[in-house]
Amino acid sequence: MSTDASEKKTSRKGPSRSEESRSAILEATRAELAESGWRTFSVDSVAKRASASKQTIYRWWPSIGAMCVDAALALVPDSPDGGRDPQERIAALIVPLEAAARTGNGHAVLRGALMAAADDQHAGEAWRAWMNRDVRQPMRMVLAELAAKRVIRRDFDLDEVIEQLLGPLWHRICVLRAPVKEGYCVQQARYALRVYSTI
């Protein structure tokens, strides 16, 4: 009986320690991205900060860029309920990115992750998969529904509207290298509805 109990305790500790180590590595990755950026990113520094081995890092992620994307996406909260209001429904899908950019050095972490996604194949695949699943596809559905209800016009490309919604956010983070002001994404949703309104 005591042997079984000890085995169960051991089996519970393993995954728990692994998750703690993974969280520590992602936190260290965010700190390194905020301080050094992607182009001068140091895996050695991450390993030291997280008290983890580089072998563990390379075992858990297909590339350092993919680890950077994971670290940044961990800052992005779930989308809030947009309700029925068209502006709130559109904004709800991009507000989480604003929230991540406004969390501590989130804008610097997101900038580093975007640069990693541009440079590294695995990072790019991870970023695009998340973007398609959590932003682009839900946004396409919302815009298509609003067009079907004639809230907005139907004579436009859905993907272009999405790019217009997200482009200013990426420009502010990557080019201006500036934090994102509160309400930025709600403002972009308001502009989009004004431009594509049927009125």
Side-chain angles (χ1 to χ4, degrees):
M1 297 289 287
S2 60
T3 303
D4 290 342
S6 64
E7 286 177 356
K8 288 180 180 178
K9 285 182 180 178
T10 302
S11 65
R12 283 198 298 269
K13 284 183 179 178
S16 176
R17 281 198 296 267
S18 294
E19 186 56 36
E20 287 175 5
S21 179
R22 185 177 186 278
S23 295
I25 291 170
L26 292 178
E27 181 60 37
T29 298
R30 287 188 286 272
E32 179 65 14
L33 279 174
E35 290 181 14
S36 304
W38 164 246
R39 297 288 160 79
T40 55
F41 187 88
S42 169
V43 181
D44 289 324
S45 178
V46 170
K48 185 176 180 180
R49 289 174 190 263
S51 299
S53 69
K54 288 201 295 184
Q55 288 81 2
T56 296
I57 291 173
Y58 289 119
R59 185 171 68 247
W60 286 350
W61 284 277
S63 69
I64 298 306
M67 179 179 70
C68 290
V69 167
D70 273 0
L73 293 182
L75 290 177
V76 182
D78 293 334
S79 296
D81 181 7
R84 295 185 177 183
D85 180 75
Q87 179 180 303
E88 290 180 1
R89 292 181 67 192
I90 292 171
L93 293 170
I94 53 178
V95 159
L97 286 164
E98 176 186 314
R102 291 175 52 78
T103 302
N105 290 317
H107 62 287
V109 174
L110 283 172
R111 179 167 57 250
L114 283 165
M115 293 178 72
D119 288 348
D120 178 83
Q121 178 184 348
H122 295 291
E125 290 172 354
W127 181 267
R128 287 188 294 275
W130 174 83
M131 182 63 67
N132 285 329
R133 184 189 68 243
D134 287 25
V135 181
R136 298 185 74 92
Q137 289 305 319
M139 185 71 76
R140 285 177 62 86
M141 292 179 65
V142 169
L143 293 173
E145 181 185 331
L146 293 176
K149 292 179 178 179
R150 301 190 182 280
V151 174
I152 56 178
R153 304 195 317 268
R154 306 172 73 171
D155 59 341
F156 58 85
D157 185 287
L158 293 178
D159 288 321
E160 288 183 6
V161 180
I162 296 171
E163 295 300 331
Q164 290 167 15
L165 284 165
L166 292 173
L169 182 67
W170 301 146
H171 182 268
R172 186 167 185 84
I173 291 172
C174 293
V175 179
L176 298 181
R177 301 175 70 85
V180 178
K181 64 182 181 180
E182 187 174 1
Y184 193 80
C185 289
V186 171
Q187 187 180 58
Q188 295 307 311
R190 187 183 304 122
Y191 288 160
L193 282 174
R194 189 180 302 164
V195 168
Y196 293 99
S197 172
T198 54
I199 300 174

